[in-house]
Amino acid sequence: MSKTLGLYLREMETKHGIDPQLTGLIAHLADTCKEISFKVSRGALAGVLGSAGSENVQGETQKKLDVIANDIMCQACAESGYVSGIASEEMDHALQVPEQYAVGPYLVLFDPLDGSSNIDINVSIGTIFSILPAGTPHRDVTDEEFLQPGVNQLAAGYVVYGPQTQLVFTMGHGTVVFTLDLSSGTYLQTSEGMSIPAAAKEFAINCSNMRHWEAPVTRYINELLAGKTGPRGKDFNMRWVAAMVAEVHRILNRGGIFMYPRDNRDPSKPGKLRLMYEANPMSWLIEEAGGVATNGYERIREIQPTGLHQRVAVFLGAKEEVELVTSYHQ
Ligand code: F6P
Ligand code: MN
């Protein structure tokens, strides 16, 4: 019989000395995502599809479900008693925990609903989270306290809302997968440790941006596209789900490389994806599964952040491929 999430977390406390407040926070976030999963699965029946008529700090149009998922996650973190502060893709600044709730030793960052353009078309989306240390629990958190490199993360993961709802996370002891059993409402372990093959034959990139890419990326992709008769001597397949959660999930399950490079459209934006609540947590999951994650120059998790919503180029997945495209940047 599969192990429940609760049992796995207890074992992590005893085997690896993980703080019960951290496992408590993960269990609480996992429970919270059941509610988001339920709303997502009801879609039009719950009246949650379509635009919210507002924009987030990045100037992106918010979907109703972006706002709903953000509210659910903020409330859950605030009332948990485990956190000192909350930061989200959907909020300009960090949120302090209201007076009526206790504070705890962690900072939580999240992308409440990643892959928003998939919401209305019933394609996979997900919630990404990253947990950082807050030091002594306190209430007056600032944005600056969140600006810690990804190597500081204590836990990171996502819940993917696809044909199955699955929780994928790491606390530094492998990347594990739990599947939500709808008949019992519990998460049951379905993988004890993901492993990404070092070689790959599948890549993911939004090729419509090709004319804007920088030279190393154009070179790398052209070599992949050249297939068997090109310099790589083999054919590659391509996928693009347009939800980072789904791309990372595919790579964890069957390998490959995912890229969202920086391009020349807007020099102020080094890439599309956000370092703090997209690239950092995903990079850790990939590394724990034997993969590599860089921005073309350095390991993503070692980047010293300068802003809560800062963007970063991302190359992640199969070791040999990420190392090759990174070497083209040198
Ligand atoms: O969060 C940003 C995001 O939705 C990612 O999940 C996804 O990988 C990417 O943007 C899709 O970008 P594009 O719109 O270029 O396909
Ligand atoms: Mn996102």
Side-chain angles (χ1 to χ4, degrees), residues 111 114-115 206 209 240 242-244 258 260 272-274 278:
D111 176 351
D114 174 65
N206 184 346
N209 298 326
W240 188 251
M244 190 191 198
F258 165 86
Y260 213 116
K272 178 178 189 191
L273 301 173
R274 275 56 54 110
E278 292 181 317

Side-chain angles (χ1 to χ4, degrees), residues 230-245:
R232 298 299 306 275
K234 66 175 178 177
D235 290 335
F236 286 81
N237 197 4
M238 199 201 83
R239 288 287 183 273
W240 188 251
V241 190
M244 190 191 198
V245 160

Side-chain angles (χ1 to χ4, degrees), residues 7-77:
L7 182 58
Y8 173 82
L9 292 172
R10 292 297 85 71
E11 283 180 6
M12 294 303 284
E13 293 166 13
T14 48
K15 268 196 218 159
H16 299 289
I18 305 278
D19 177 7
Q21 295 191 81
L22 183 59
T23 55
L25 178 55
I26 289 167
H28 192 63
L29 293 177
D31 270 345
T32 303
C33 289
K34 287 184 204 168
E35 191 183 340
I36 300 176
S37 175
F38 183 66
K39 291 239 155 59
V40 165
S41 71
R42 295 252 303 149
L45 301 178
V48 295
L49 301 187
S51 166
S54 50
E55 278 190 355
N56 66 14
V57 58
Q58 358 253 338
E60 298 161 343
T61 307
Q62 289 176 307
K63 297 286 174 79
K64 278 186 200 163
L65 265 171
D66 285 324
V67 176
I68 292 168
N70 188 60
D71 290 349
I72 292 174
M73 287 291 285
C74 286
Q75 178 61 28
C77 289

Side-chain angles (χ1 to χ4, degrees), residues 102-173:
V103 283
Y106 302 110
L107 301 173
V108 183
L109 299 101
F110 49 80
D111 176 351
L113 217 46
D114 174 65
S116 297
S117 73
N118 284 350
I119 293 175
D120 294 345
I121 56 170
N122 195 14
V123 176
S124 291
I125 48 182
T127 301
I128 309 172
F129 62 89
S130 165
I131 302 175
L132 290 166
T136 308
H138 57 295
R139 215 167 274 283
D140 51 345
V141 289
T142 60
D143 288 1
E144 285 65 40
E145 289 174 52
F146 288 80
L147 303 183
Q148 306 179 35
V151 288
N152 280 19
Q153 293 173 108
L154 299 169
Y158 61 80
V159 176
V160 58
Y161 313 113
Q164 300 122 45
T165 292
Q166 291 184 308
L167 165 69
V168 179
F169 73 104
T170 185
M171 295 188 288
H173 301 281

